[in-house]
Amino acid sequence: MATIVLQQTSLLLMLILATVALDCGQIVQSQRNEIGRTRRLLEAMGGQRSPTECPEDPDFGFPMEKTVLNSNKEDARMAIGFFLEQIQTIFQHNYTQTNWNMTATDLFQETLDQQQIQWQRCSIVRTREQATRHGLHVKRTLKMYFTKLHIFLKEKEYSLCAWDAVRGEIFEVYSVVLSKLLGKL
Ligand SMILES: *[C@@H]1O[C@H](CO)[C@@H](O)[C@H](O)[C@H]1NC(C)=O
Ligand SMILES: *[C@@H]1O[C@H](CO)[C@@H](O)[C@H](O)[C@H]1NC(C)=O
């Protein structure tokens, strides 16, 4: 009797795990589909601004190699979730001086939120697995990069031009980083 119950339980568990694994596969595709739309929203946020208005184009030096090279599937999944979360956090800072198109800004934050929730759901079964040393290293590296963006904004007192530099930076790295990390899954 106990054996049967145990068998049924493990069968159920296997079914649940299979469903979640399937879900994670779909997330990869839906994340790919979202990349173009998210970038268009980032672009639309700035409206029709002439590029000469803000000549400064700082190099924030995204740590591409450290994030992508040597990352296994677990690391890549974790890195995507963390990357999206950090973008959300940076866009929660004060952008009242930017004059951004609020419709596009709201839609951008909404889609980031949905993307981030998706990855959380995908990693629920994975919480029992230990993050690899490399994964932790990637997380620290990404955190340092986003701290650099935040310090820049703070030093420039969240000015329109500082924000445009950060928005342009995210516009550039968002698709490259995600494409490379999704390629690992
Ligand atoms: C955001 O910045 C503006 C001026 O740049 C300031 O008036 C406002 O109080 C700030 N808002 C917050 C929540 O700090
Ligand atoms: C603001 O962004 C929305 C969404 O991208 C767009 O439909 C609208 O035309 C934009 N408004 C202006 C004034 O550019």
Side-chain angles (χ1 to χ4, degrees):
M1 186 64 189
T3 326
I4 293 172
V5 172
L6 201 64
Q7 274 175 356
Q8 284 177 344
T9 312
S10 48
L11 192 66
L12 190 66
L13 193 66
M14 270 163 62
L15 269 173
I16 292 172
L17 288 177
T19 314
V20 177
L22 194 72
D23 219 1
C24 289
Q26 285 169 348
I27 288 168
V28 171
Q29 193 48 49
S30 84
Q31 182 66 63
R32 279 213 175 93
N33 297 341
E34 277 303 311
I35 292 179
R37 192 175 96 93
T38 308
R39 289 186 97 211
R40 279 194 295 280
L41 284 172
L42 263 171
E43 207 166 19
M45 279 160 70
Q48 304 292 321
R49 190 163 292 145
S50 97
T52 49
E53 211 175 306
C54 298
E56 203 184 359
D57 186 17
D59 180 11
F60 295 107
F62 187 88
M64 199 65 78
E65 284 201 357
K66 282 183 180 164
T67 305
V68 177
L69 276 186
N70 302 321
S71 284
N72 63 23
K73 285 190 180 196
E74 274 316 300
D75 300 332
R77 258 188 221 107
M78 183 281 301
I80 293 171
F82 191 68
F83 178 66
L84 293 170
E85 185 190 304
Q86 291 296 306
I87 296 179
Q88 275 187 303
T89 307
I90 203 87
F91 280 96
Q92 272 158 14
H93 294 295
N94 191 336
Y95 53 80
T96 40
Q97 294 181 66
T98 59
N99 244 336
W100 280 342
N101 174 336
M102 281 314 292
T103 312
T105 307
D106 287 346
L107 286 171
F108 169 72
Q109 288 180 331
E110 216 170 86
T111 182
L112 265 190
D113 209 37
Q114 281 162 3
Q115 291 169 34
Q116 148 80 0
I117 287 168
Q118 270 192 343
W119 287 101
Q120 265 173 9
R121 211 174 55 203
C122 173
S123 64
I124 284 173
V125 273
R126 323 228 156 235
T127 45
R128 268 177 298 158
E129 293 177 31
Q130 290 288 324
T132 67
R133 276 172 80 95
H134 178 70
L136 291 174
H137 182 63
V138 168
K139 209 166 170 172
R140 262 199 306 274
T141 309
L142 282 174
K143 184 71 198 163
M144 273 163 61
Y145 165 79
F146 280 98
T147 302
K148 212 189 294 176
L149 294 190
H150 185 205
I151 290 171
F152 173 79
L153 284 173
K154 216 159 143 185
E155 280 176 356
K156 306 278 177 183
E157 296 171 334
Y158 303 95
S159 70
L160 179 149
C161 283
W163 265 117
D164 265 10
V166 168
R167 187 170 58 89
E169 170 75 6
I170 299 296
F171 180 81
E172 292 302 326
V173 299
Y174 173 83
S175 60
V176 183
V177 174
L178 283 184
S179 302
K180 284 186 191 272
L181 287 172
L182 288 170
K184 298 252 168 189
L185 300 177

